[in-house]
Amino acid sequence: MQSFIQKCRVSCSTKGLCSGLIASTLLLSLLSSCSWTQQTNLGIDTDRSVQEKTLSLVFESFEPKGQAELDRLKQDRTQQFCSTQRGLKDQSQLTQSTTQDQLAEQIRLENQALITPPKDGNYFGDFKRGELIAQDGRGKTWSDPSESPSGGNCYNCHRISKNELSYGTLGPSLYQFAKLRGINSAKDFAQASQNSSTDPLIQYTWGVLMNSKAYNVCTVMPRFGVTLNHKTQGHGGPILNEQQIKDLMSLLLDPRSPVNE
Amino acid sequence: MFSFNTPFKFVLKHLGAALLYAYAWSAFAQAQQLGVSTDAALAQYRSMLQDANPADLYVAKGQALWTKARGPKAQSLESCDLGLGPGVVKGAWVQMPRYFNDTRRVQDLESRLVTCMEAIQGFNTQEIIAQDFSKGERANIALLAAYVSSESQGMTFKVPQEHALEREMYASGQELFYMRGGTHDFSCASCHTQDGRRIRLQDLPNLSTSAGAGFAFGTWPAYRVSMGSIWTMQQRLADCFRQQRFPKPKYVSPATVALSVFMGVNASGQVADAPGLKR
Amino acid sequence: MRTDRREVLKKGALVAGLLMQSLGYLRSANAYQQNAFDAKSVLDLYKSLGLSVPVESKQITLTTPEIAENGAVVQVAANTTYNNIKRWIFMVEKNPVPLVAIFNLTEDVTPAVTLRCKFAQTSDFLAVAQLNDGKVFFARKEVKVTLGGCGG
Amino acid sequence: MSDPMRIRLQSAGGLTTVKVLMSHEMESGQRKDEDGKIVPIWNIQDVFATLNGRVVMSSEWGGGVSKNPFLQFVLKGTKPGDKLSITWRDNKGDTRTDEAVVS
């Protein structure tokens, strides 16, 4: 808890945002220490009795195994909210004309605030390592050792490099990611990466990899670079570490990467 | 895209994010198109195996097991009541999970088989629950499930919703289906609420629709080519939760039965085709 | 250890012998060609079977899936318009042991044979047809083996 | 101790398609177990088919045939009542014979 607030202080640029974040962090920790039945108290209009019955049924049905302890069933605010959003597919469908949409926007902003730039200001790594991370679907399950690094699972949902035919279609194709977005040469890439901290494509790609929920609040894409409130994440922090995210940045944006062939 | 009463400020604030998002999805149609040839090739691979499903070998073993005197009481399961009366196997599976008067619980096929194995044959329920899939009596349950489900092949799903507990289990199953959690924010719905999508090369049935639920619920137990063995619905669900990064669901626990009620009821009117054949 | 093995062999021989007797099938004429199943490459395999290197032929048709989502089970089929075929040799080129199966045909069967075999990786499937006149022909077709599941 | 095969026959115009599923582990001798030790090869080596007692097809298999093997071939000049038998023998000496009748 303490270290989380400190981390947050370091990365906050304005005082207001910072105190807001601390408040919401406190709220989160309060929520996570609440009893199971109180978890759903978000003012969301759904059948309380069904939710309560389900939560107690879930609690008696699961057991901890390996690194997957029961705290994984405790939802944070994003997870609670998105569990109630059935059939909501896209950020573009939100209008803020309803309480639901306003709440969605609040939660999106909370997620946005968790995105931090790379510590050394360099957004890129090695696209070859990035490909391996994209291929790797291991990590964080009860059968994975808790200390080993996680993979990105990227091919489960996305088409990425041309030669890998075994790709999923839950997410958009990322083949020719940079090419389709105006980076066609080593020169384009050098130019963009020189202004990494302001380049919209670099900022967007980094942001989605760090915390997808900052762009589409209930997207099925995991929040790869932020620490959720699970005790068991203490072992390895977020799903991917900063270096892994940099390697994925190169996989997607480097013109030499097989993605941009 | 936005309704007319949308505050203009909100639109402006989000135009950036929305545009970038639309941008990311722009290549989507292209990917779908490229996927067609792969899909056709995979369909060809699967249809070649479908014709002679190794699951048939396990159905024969399960049938032999059903009539064999076993367990501490040395009895066969021929008097087991799967919901249509003692000993009735034909058509029982397409009406499960259902409420059972004797246990006062809603039970799926495997849960009911465990009940019969304890009551009739004298096996210990807790020991069976503590075992691993594919080992000891759990391996036998997979054979029995293959046999029982095969006796409903070609029949139509009619999972009952008459008892209050059956309806309650449906509601809870639905709630759990959409419950996000774990390190990756996944719910069942993350993968199983859209038509025509794949994870890697695996087709993902849309379990919120009748056709999708019918296809998924109606083809487990199944012979898994990659495992060279029969997997039951309980095993399928447990491995889904593992990959969802959730803790482990206990064998035949209420949550797993609730999910089966949700799928089974959604599958109403669809035709059973188990045991199936899967990757 | 040694006696166990001898026992097993003896028992096996006994059972097989009985079967053959009852079926009137002289198995001794067709002893299992272990050396062929030890060959680590297609060329070594031809050598161990005493075959000349076969010629590619359009008269052989192979039915294989383009993509296999699991290499453990891939269904392959071979057929040919040569009416004097006496033997099929099925191979998966890049398997550690390329030889999968040998089929000795008679006039009582058509040349069409289907089998499910393992692919250790993406590889060509090869079927060699040995004709009664001693000529050997082959056809090949690639099967791409992919990772089908979630990779978890 | 081996389990029965499933033999299906489909006849049309004197041709009978034979589809056989066999119950066998078919260990390739290449696979490693959880402790990293090679699982010894255990596979069906010989398979032959007879029609009314006469051998019509014989084959030799290696560890590259899939677990629970499937084999299909076509008999010529069959008539109803013809008796087909399939026999396999594995490298441990275990054998199994099952029969089916052309209808």
Side-chain angles (χ1 to χ4, degrees), chain C residues 31-50:
Chain C
Y32 189 69
Q33 301 173 75
Q34 186 61 55
N35 59 334
F37 286 101
D38 289 337
K40 300 283 183 263
S41 75
V42 170
L43 283 177
D44 284 353
L45 174 59
Y46 293 151
K47 238 180 267 166
S48 72
L49 290 173

Side-chain angles (χ1 to χ4, degrees), chain D residues 2 40 69 82 86 88:
Chain D
S2 51
D82 280 353
I86 308 278
W88 60 251

Side-chain angles (χ1 to χ4, degrees), chain A residues 6 12 33 51 63 74 91 98 156 165 172 174 199 209 234:
Chain A
Q6 277 168 354
C12 284
S33 61
Q51 287 185 335
E63 61 189 3
K74 291 190 181 176
Q91 183 73 21
T98 65
N156 279 357
L165 293 177
L174 304 175
D199 183 89
L209 287 169

Side-chain angles (χ1 to χ4, degrees), chain A residues 135-138 143 153 156 165-166, chain C residues 67 144 146-152:
Chain A
Q135 289 280 0
D136 189 352
R138 283 167 299 188
S143 54
N153 272 304
N156 279 357
L165 293 177
S166 179
Chain C
I67 299 176
K144 287 195 187 85
T146 59
L147 174 68
C150 317

Side-chain angles (χ1 to χ4, degrees), chain C:
Chain C
M1 181 68 206
R2 180 172 269 204
T3 43
D4 282 357
R5 193 174 143 71
R6 210 159 44 205
E7 279 297 314
V8 170
L9 284 174
K10 238 171 32 191
K11 251 189 220 161
L14 190 71
V15 174
L18 283 171
L19 271 165
M20 278 160 217
Q21 225 177 3
S22 64
L23 296 166
Y25 174 48
L26 292 173
R27 199 176 162 275
S28 55
N30 276 295
Y32 189 69
Q33 301 173 75
Q34 186 61 55
N35 59 334
F37 286 101
D38 289 337
K40 300 283 183 263
S41 75
V42 170
L43 283 177
D44 284 353
L45 174 59
Y46 293 151
K47 238 180 267 166
S48 72
L49 290 173
L51 294 178
S52 53
V53 175
V55 179
E56 194 153 5
S57 167
K58 288 218 164 77
Q59 281 183 258
I60 298 172
T61 39
L62 305 181
T63 310
T64 58
E66 252 179 78
I67 299 176
E69 60 189 332
N70 197 290
V73 184
V74 180
Q75 184 162 311
V76 297
N79 204 348
T80 178
T81 51
Y82 293 115
N83 54 16
N84 55 340
I85 177 174
K86 98 174 166 192
R87 178 176 289 172
W88 278 122
I89 298 148
F90 281 13
M91 289 168 277
V92 176
E93 190 173 30
K94 288 188 185 159
N95 276 4
V97 174
L99 178 58
V100 176
I102 298 170
F103 294 94
N104 302 300
L105 308 180
T106 65
E107 287 177 351
D108 296 307
V109 295
T110 74
V113 173
T114 304
L115 186 72
R116 290 180 186 162
C117 48
K118 298 169 192 164
F119 278 65
Q121 57 182 303
T122 294
S123 167
D124 279 358
F125 168 68
L126 279 83
V128 173
Q130 191 180 0
L131 309 185
N132 279 325
D133 58 13
K135 286 187 183 136
V136 278
F137 298 98
F138 83 99
R140 63 163 74 228
K141 215 168 167 187
E142 189 188 54
V143 177
K144 287 195 187 85
V145 175
T146 59
L147 174 68
C150 317

